[in-house]
Amino acid sequence: MMTFDLQGKTALVTGGASGIGFEVAQLMARSGASVAINYLPQDPRGEAAVASLKAQGLAVIGAPGDLSDPAQADAMVKHAVEALGRLDLLVNNAGTPGVTKPIPVQDLESVSEDIWQTLLNVNLMSVFRCSKAAAASLKASHGAIVNTASIAGFGSIASTIAYSASKSAVINLTKNLAHALAPEVRVNAVAPGSVESSWAIEWSDERRRSTVAATPLQRWCTPDDVAELIVYLGFAGRMITGQTVIIDGGISL
């Protein structure tokens, strides 16, 4: 994995206990940044992730909090910023698929109200809550926000139509936040395709094979791939804002 020169920089990563969130936190910390890692308070992977990076001598702190709860989200961001001393980058990565098995797009009956409420609350509202709470600090540092969307947000069929809708909304929110926080703060998003991660979606072997076969670069993304793009958008690309960058090996071509 490449590294960047991030000495003196700070960042907060939501959903940082595993997968893309952990890899982006690790990349930034190895590049010299001080990083606050958010995770659900009851998730043992969160404390383990923080401990593993601290054992490497990296400047990381835990920032537990359930972002589906507005009060917890607000308090978590404010406590993290206070602990870091400033904030240069907010990575809104927390999210959930809401299901363990894909629901076919034609099966509307199985997409319950609970699924909709969970996905919109976690995948969409947490992005707004954390961005709102961090806005003043990011303006002061002329910082950036990077949101994790998905190619599902551009109309691809994902685990559920509710998931696709939640990520489409993140893409729209990214554009609106870019307007709202300009000129001090840049706001962008990444839209991964299929990623080798710890999310427990039970894709069939046939679907996995067909996905790779249909991908021009002939593999799934790794969390490392996405982490590098997030850090670039967060700390470089100084004239890029309001954009959602697809990273899917070309499958959406």
Side-chain angles (χ1 to χ4, degrees):
M1 178 187 288
M2 70 171 64
T3 56
F4 299 77
D5 180 7
L6 302 182
Q7 293 293 329
K9 300 296 185 180
T10 64
L12 167 60
V13 181
T14 71
S18 63
I20 293 170
F22 176 77
E23 291 301 330
V24 73
Q26 178 171 242
L27 173 56
M28 290 190 292
R30 285 180 174 174
S31 299
S34 298
V35 184
I37 300 175
N38 161 258
Y39 49 88
L40 286 169
Q42 68 271 25
D43 188 348
R45 297 175 302 172
E47 291 186 4
V50 172
S52 71
L53 296 181
K54 283 186 174 180
Q56 300 175 43
L58 303 178
V60 298
I61 60 171
D66 183 349
L67 305 186
S68 68
D69 179 336
Q72 285 194 52
D74 184 71
M76 183 279 295
V77 172
K78 290 177 179 176
H79 290 162
V81 173
E82 182 178 358
L84 292 170
R86 57 179 284 154
L87 188 63
D88 296 296
L89 175 62
L90 169 64
V91 180
N92 284 310
N93 174 73
T96 180
V99 296
T100 56
K101 293 183 178 180
I103 297 175
V105 69
Q106 299 88 352
D107 185 5
L108 301 183
E109 292 300 321
S110 295
V111 185
S112 67
E113 287 288 328
D114 285 344
I115 289 174
W116 274 105
Q117 290 173 10
T118 296
L119 290 175
L120 292 176
N121 193 18
V122 175
N123 295 355
L124 175 62
M125 289 302 299
S126 73
V127 175
F128 178 76
R129 290 169 184 143
C130 292
S131 299
K132 180 181 177 181
S137 297
L138 290 170
K139 284 186 174 183
S141 67
H142 286 248
I145 297 172
V146 181
N147 303 321
T148 300
S150 167
I151 60 170
F154 289 100
S156 298
I157 296 174
S159 51
T160 68
I161 61 172
Y163 179 84
S164 297
S166 73
K167 292 301 186 178
S168 181
V170 169
I171 293 167
N172 180 275
L173 180 58
T174 296
K175 294 179 179 181
N176 281 290
L177 287 173
H179 279 295
L181 299 178
E184 297 94 344
V185 181
R186 295 180 304 105
V187 185
N188 293 292
V190 296
S194 298
V195 178
E196 294 284 5
S197 74
S198 59
W199 267 10
I201 294 292
E202 298 175 10
W203 299 114
S204 68
D205 289 340
E206 179 182 356
R207 172 143 183 183
R208 290 177 65 88
R209 286 193 297 269
S210 65
T211 298
V212 170
T215 301
L217 296 188
Q218 293 290 288
R219 68 176 178 87
W220 283 31
C221 288
T222 66
D224 289 358
D225 295 326
V226 184
E228 289 174 356
L229 177 58
I230 289 173
V231 176
Y232 173 79
L233 290 173
F235 291 104
R238 288 179 290 181
M239 280 297 288
I240 303 173
T241 195
Q243 303 304 305
T244 297
V245 182
I246 292 173
I247 176 168
D248 66 353
I251 195 170
S252 58
L253 292 174

